[in-house]
């Protein structure tokens, strides 16, 4: 996915600037999110984050893009921010700590899933031939304020570095009850980065994580303590019992102190069977649909985990040559990602001047502040629809106010008062407002 990466300083004045992609001036791209950071970059995948900027927000969100190669793993970690993930393409398995146990959930294209801040998790691309692409919202309201978000890696070594490596050797020796030499080996094995290949087909695959993921769900925690032992190929059989005992205690201390597990007498640890379900955006019936396109959304009443996050999700499909009629979100800021097609985005300032008029294409990310009027227009020069997905900063059902159209706010207010506000007769007012027989998604004559 292409991400626009030019810098931008948001100002309210000097709005006019030349759009280099076109032969006519367009207002500066105030509401495009164009500064991104590559937070993770390995041979097996990457994560890029676009940070919110400016002050016209009632609530800020960052937008993350995760791309993972087939048979790859985002290693166990926890974040200082809540993630809401949307599987744009591919299949995944997410494993995380839920009520003190390990839970695993299979995700497919269109699935939405929430990972709370502070909950340890890992993410696996289960597709053998297909890349995994995830779009996620990152809520900075719980963050430490030292970046877009902060990862705390559970497992790690030279790269990534485990959060436990920050303690002095004496503390870790006491905590793990093993020697400094064993701990040095324990914390320096991994060097492939936060996203690694797994599986026998990859020469660079981390055998530690590969062995872990090949286990049955029930056995993962039981055998987790043995994984470091499997790396010790140079150890002779006489030393294996001692190393196994020390390594077992290492993993036991790690799981008990970080994950909150109790492992006694090498018994299997029960894996959580009940965990929050996922919700699929593509399985839902459109909230609105006509011959020009459709819209669909998921809020807290549809997917309970969204209630605590205060975030909802939407998806819009506009056929070529159509548009969303000018509308306003009275209860939320809207963040959108163009996932297919090309078009235009227009936003108006409160004083009735044009705030932004820009061409948008696949990979572009925009935000629309609460109360600002805007319209998305699908280009008529392509057979592809304009398809965009995004997040709104309220878990309640989003009820946009459409300013124009058959079911518009203006149509509802039609009367002598509105006519007086425009300085026209009521008959003229009615003739203007009754001319449009369609609503929400309309044909467009805007040129591209």
């Amino acid at each position: 996915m292409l991400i626009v990466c030019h810098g931008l300083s948001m100002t309210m004045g000097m709005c006019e600037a030349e759009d280099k992609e076109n032969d006519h001036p367009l207002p500066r791209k105030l509401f495009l999110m164009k500064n991104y950071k590559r937070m993770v970059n390995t041979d097996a995948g990457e994560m890029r984050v676009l940070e919110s900027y400016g002050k016209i927000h009632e609530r800020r969100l960052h937008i993350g893009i995760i791309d993972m190669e087939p048979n790859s793993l985002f290693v166990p970690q926890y974040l200082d921010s809540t993630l809401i993930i949307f599987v744009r393409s591919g299949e995944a398995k997410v494993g995380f700590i839920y009520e003190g146990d390990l839970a695993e959930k299979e995700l497919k294209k269109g699935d939405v899933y929430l990972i709370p801040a502070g909950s340890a998790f890992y993410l696996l691309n289960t597709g053998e031939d297909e890349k995994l692409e995830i779009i996620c919202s990152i809520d900075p309201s719980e963050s430490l304020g030292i970046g877009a978000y902060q990862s705390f890696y559970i497992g790690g070594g030279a790269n990534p570095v485990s959060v436990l490596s920050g303690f002095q050797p004496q503390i870790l020796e006491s905590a793990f009850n093993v020697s400094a030499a064993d701990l040095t080996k324990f914390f320096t094995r991994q060097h492939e980065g936060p996203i690694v290949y797994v599986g026998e087909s990859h020469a660079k695959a981390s055998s530690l994580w590969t062995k872990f993921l090949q286990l049955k769900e029930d056995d993962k925690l039981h055998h987790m303590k043995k994984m470091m032992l499997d790396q010790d190929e140079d150890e002779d059989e006489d030393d294996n019992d001692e190393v196994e005992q020390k390594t077992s205690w290492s993993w036991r201390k790690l799981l008990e102190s970080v994950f909150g597990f109790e492992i006694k007498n090498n018994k299997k640890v029960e894996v959580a069977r009940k965990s929050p379900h996922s919700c699929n955006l593509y399985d839902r019936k459109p909230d609105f649909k006509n011959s020009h396109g459709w819209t669909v959304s998921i809020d807290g009443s549809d997917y309970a985990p969204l209630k605590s996050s205060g975030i909802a999700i939407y998806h819009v499909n506009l056929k070529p040559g159509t548009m969303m009629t000018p509308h306003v979100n009275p209860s939320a800021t809207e963040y959108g990602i163009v996932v297919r097609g090309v078009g235009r985005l227009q936003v108006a300032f409160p004083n009735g001047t044009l705030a932004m008029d820009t061409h948008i294409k696949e990979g572009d990310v925009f935000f629309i502040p609460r109360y600002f009027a805007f319209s998305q227009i699908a280009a008529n020069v392509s057979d592809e629809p304009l398809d965009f997905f995004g997040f709104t900063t309220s878990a309640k059902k989003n009820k946009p106010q459409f300013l124009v159209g058959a079911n518009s706010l203006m149509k509802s207010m039609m009367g002598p008062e509105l006519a007086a506000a425009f300085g026209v007769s009521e008959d003229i007012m009615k003739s203007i407002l009754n001319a449009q027989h369609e609503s929400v998604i309309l044909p467009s004559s805007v040129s591209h």
Side-chain angles (χ1 to χ4, degrees), residues 116-323:
S119 178
F121 72 97
Y122 60 82
L123 190 63
L124 174 69
N125 180 356
T126 54
E128 295 184 359
D129 302 311
E130 186 177 5
K131 289 185 177 182
L132 173 65
E133 182 177 0
I134 286 176
I135 301 172
C136 58
S137 70
I138 303 170
D139 185 355
S141 64
E142 300 174 282
S143 72
L144 298 172
I146 55 178
Y149 70 91
Q150 182 61 54
S151 291
F152 297 81
Y153 291 103
I154 303 301
N159 180 26
V161 177
S162 170
V163 65
L164 294 171
S165 298
F167 293 96
Q168 292 185 341
Q170 297 89 336
I171 297 295
L172 293 178
E173 286 180 53
S174 299
F176 282 86
N177 194 28
V178 296
S179 69
D182 288 331
L183 284 175
T184 298
K185 182 182 296 185
F186 186 82
F187 283 110
T188 56
R189 288 280 184 175
Q190 165 71 338
H191 56 82
E192 297 167 25
I195 302 179
V196 299
Y197 282 112
V198 292
E200 300 301 327
S201 60
H202 294 280
K204 295 183 179 180
S206 167
S207 58
L208 186 154
W209 296 120
T210 299
K211 292 177 185 296
F212 170 63
L213 292 168
Q214 287 174 345
L215 299 173
K216 293 181 179 180
E217 187 175 356
D218 305 60
D219 297 330
K220 278 193 173 71
L221 291 175
H222 176 63
H223 290 280
M224 201 172 182
K225 59 184 179 294
K226 297 179 181 178
M227 290 195 298
M228 295 308 297
L229 177 62
D230 293 334
Q231 300 293 300
D232 296 330
E233 298 177 355
D234 296 332
E235 299 286 347
D236 57 40
E237 292 184 0
D238 293 338
D239 295 331
N240 276 351
D241 291 341
E242 181 181 356
V243 173
E244 181 175 5
Q245 183 179 7
K246 291 180 178 179
T247 307
S248 297
W249 277 102
S250 299
W251 279 108
R252 175 179 174 180
K253 292 294 184 182
L254 174 66
L255 294 174
E256 288 180 348
S257 61
V258 179
F259 290 104
F261 290 106
E262 286 190 22
I263 299 177
K264 297 180 180 180
N265 300 323
N266 291 333
K267 291 183 179 179
K268 289 186 178 180
V269 178
E270 283 296 317
V271 178
R273 298 300 182 185
K274 184 179 180 182
S275 61
H277 64 285
S278 59
C279 184
N280 193 279
L281 192 63
Y282 297 147
D283 289 344
R284 296 184 58 80
K285 291 183 178 179
D287 300 299
F288 174 85
K289 184 177 182 180
N290 63 13
S291 60
H292 309 301
W294 49 261
T295 69
V296 64
S297 62
I298 296 175
D299 56 47
S301 63
D302 305 308
Y303 182 48
L306 292 179
K307 290 182 179 179
S308 60
S309 72
I311 303 295
I313 293 170
Y314 72 92
H315 187 197
V316 175
N317 179 284
L318 303 179
K319 291 185 178 180
T322 66
M323 60 180 281

Side-chain angles (χ1 to χ4, degrees), residues 318 322-323 342-346 375-379 386 444 446 448:
L318 303 179
T322 66
M323 60 180 281
V342 293
R344 292 268 287 274
L345 173 63
Q346 292 192 2
S375 175
Q376 298 100 335
I377 306 102
L386 178 61
S444 169
V446 177
H448 294 271

